[in-house]
Amino acid sequence: MAALRRRVLEVLPDLDPAQVTDGSSLKELGANSVDRADVVTMTMDDLGISVPVREFHDVRDIGSLARLLRGHLG
Amino acid sequence: MDVGIESLNVYAGLARIGVRELLAGRGLDPDRQANLLMTSRSVGLPFEDPVTNAVNAAAPILAGLDPTDRAAIELLVTSTESGVDLSKSVASYVHDHLGLGRACRVLEVKQACYAATGAVQLAAGYLASGVSPGAKALVIATDVALVDARAGFAEPATGHGAVALLVSDRPRVLTLDLGAFGCHSYETLDSARPSPRFDIADVDRSLFTYLDCLTSSFAGYRDRVDGADFVTTFDQLAMHTPFAGLVRAAHRKMLREAGTSVDLVAADFERRVAPSLRLPAMVGNLCSGSVYLALASMLTHADVSAGARVGLYAYGSGCSAEFFSGLVDAGSARAVQAMGIPAYLAGRYELTFAEYTQLLADTADVLVPAEHRTVELGGYRKILERGRAGRPLLAHTGAKDYHRRYEWV
């Protein structure tokens, strides 16, 4: 979650960090489609993981995204 | 033997709408235009379809060939996600209206926005094999758009038209680096056209797969080409351009993965990528022709007079992708610039939002098979006369017993 939060705040620098919660979605926070792709690909790079695209199907908010990425950590 | 693209031409319709006008009409945030990096999108007219777009793109190329060279076209491939029949190809109509010889292979290929590149590579391999010395292949990427308000921000980024590519052993436009390629494919549903009336798209999935496939196809390229480096091997880049903001994100991702300092990314983008985005910004996404519109743009706006290696990336939803490369020089730029693409694009009729929404309603059934149909030029004749710039164009006039009808106008 910390890695994800860091990249969210980097891509959306005007965001209040308190808004980045488990239940918020990147879209609601103002991230456009390219911003969302940037956040996910950069966080995967940081963590050294590659998550197949089909596994993102059930991602609904930042919390579920963080859980999916965490599940791929060695 | 050198093999590659001998001639390239673009036909992107006769009408356009400004992206600012379109976003305002839809009540969408105009500030998002900065992310789209689009100025206008091409819009089809009721008498334009995948057949007329293909013929109108290729006819100027054929007009420049002598009879011997025309007869050397042994393969015609249309690449489209806008098929007009489940069995009969767009290419069969195109073959007729271009007046190509009967000793010609004729077929249609489909893999969303990738298929034209697959056809170019298969044709290049055929030509390089030497089984038919002097043969040429005509590959035409041709599509129509079905977007409307439901597409949200994808609407202003979606184009209409065709790119014709003559592939031969006289590659004036692009000499392919034969054997230098990397492919990456897997099944996913990021966007599709499940009906002749509408598209579906999962924007997040599509952007993710585009970016994922770029990294993976370039890794495949690097496996085949010793020492290949995304930053230093290619003087210019031309990529499939659904919208320019995605290409910018893709370039940034590749440089980040190559360990390039963040401070250098913007200047590298301006030098190696921006020239390829200027014509796409005037047209929108041309499906499998998009990467070749980007190539035409690069050859129009970058200085390649000293010779340049260009890296090309084709991506088609569903998905299949390829990274490949080739060589261009001053002759390439001259050959593309001789087609007068920027002036033609600038001469398209600019629609008001009201004209545009009427046009969407008038063209919604262009891909729906009809047993009998008559298509009139009607009130759109003034747009035809303005945009044609004096040259003959093929028009779709209707159907009789499911047989689509066309006339030169």
Side-chain angles (χ1 to χ4, degrees), chain B residues 173-405:
Chain B
V173 172
L174 176 79
T175 302
L176 286 167
D177 291 326
L178 289 178
F181 62 91
C183 296
H184 196 72
S185 308
Y186 54 89
E187 197 282 323
T188 187
L189 186 66
D190 53 336
S191 78
R193 180 169 282 179
S195 144
R197 290 195 61 120
F198 65 90
D199 298 331
I200 55 170
D202 179 331
V203 173
D204 284 309
R205 184 176 295 215
S206 194
L207 267 58
F208 186 90
T209 50
Y210 177 100
L211 297 169
D212 177 40
C213 284
L214 175 56
T215 294
S216 300
S217 61
F218 182 68
Y221 180 97
R222 214 173 34 213
D223 286 345
R224 290 175 186 272
V225 183
D226 254 0
D229 181 282
F230 192 82
V231 182
T232 58
T233 300
F234 312 104
D235 304 292
Q236 290 290 324
L237 294 161
M239 301 200 246
H240 172 53
T241 307
F243 60 101
L246 178 57
V247 176
R248 185 165 60 184
H251 167 262
R252 195 167 60 225
K253 177 175 188 282
M254 294 302 285
L255 263 58
R256 192 172 67 237
E257 290 173 359
T260 305
S261 163
V262 173
D263 302 339
L264 302 177
V265 171
D268 188 72
F269 176 81
E270 284 304 316
R271 184 172 61 84
R272 293 199 301 151
V273 183
S276 74
L277 300 176
R278 292 177 61 175
L279 296 183
M282 301 167 73
V283 172
N285 182 359
L286 278 190
C287 304
S288 71
S290 170
V291 62
Y292 301 100
L293 179 64
L295 175 65
S297 182
M298 186 278 283
L299 288 170
T300 303
H301 294 292
D303 179 6
V304 295
S305 54
R309 172 157 279 116
V310 54
L312 298 111
Y313 174 58
Y315 169 81
S317 291
C319 65
S320 190
E322 181 162 354
F323 190 94
F324 60 112
S325 63
L327 294 171
V328 296
D329 59 18
S332 311
R334 275 197 304 275
V336 166
Q337 289 169 17
M339 306 311 290
I341 299 165
Y344 145 66
L345 292 177
R348 289 166 301 162
Y349 177 83
E350 186 145 8
L351 299 159
T352 64
F353 185 70
E355 289 173 321
Y356 172 75
T357 51
Q358 180 61 48
L359 195 45
L360 291 191
D362 291 347
T363 56
D365 287 336
V366 65
L367 297 182
V368 179
E371 186 173 359
H372 303 294
R373 178 160 56 202
T374 301
V375 178
E376 305 280 359
L377 297 184
Y380 294 109
R381 185 177 286 278
K382 68 171 183 180
I383 300 179
L384 169 68
E385 292 307 330
R386 181 197 156 107
R388 67 190 303 165
R391 67 180 172 120
L393 291 171
L394 191 70
H396 175 46
T397 55
K400 185 166 186 287
D401 298 324
Y402 291 109
H403 196 192
R404 293 174 83 93
R405 299 300 170 102

Side-chain angles (χ1 to χ4, degrees), chain A residues 7 32-34 36-38 40-42 44-45 50-54 56-57, chain B residues 32 35 186 188 203-205 207-209 211 243 245-246 249 252-253 256-257:
Chain A
R7 287 303 191 178
N32 65 37
S33 57
V34 171
R36 300 195 293 270
D38 274 346
V40 173
T41 55
M42 288 194 297
M44 290 197 308
D45 286 350
S50 176
V51 181
V53 63
R54 74 178 79 88
F56 288 94
H57 187 68
Chain B
R32 291 282 293 274
N35 184 39
Y186 54 89
T188 187
V203 173
D204 284 309
R205 184 176 295 215
L207 267 58
F208 186 90
T209 50
L211 297 169
F243 60 101
L246 178 57
R252 195 167 60 225
K253 177 175 188 282
R256 192 172 67 237
E257 290 173 359

Side-chain angles (χ1 to χ4, degrees), chain A residues 29-71:
Chain A
L29 294 176
N32 65 37
S33 57
V34 171
D35 295 338
R36 300 195 293 270
D38 274 346
V39 166
V40 173
T41 55
M42 288 194 297
T43 307
M44 290 197 308
D45 286 350
D46 294 344
L47 299 173
I49 59 174
S50 176
V51 181
V53 63
R54 74 178 79 88
E55 297 189 24
F56 288 94
H57 187 68
D58 294 326
V59 168
R60 290 288 172 268
D61 52 29
I62 286 178
S64 55
L65 177 57
R67 282 191 294 280
L68 173 64
L69 299 178
R70 192 185 302 127

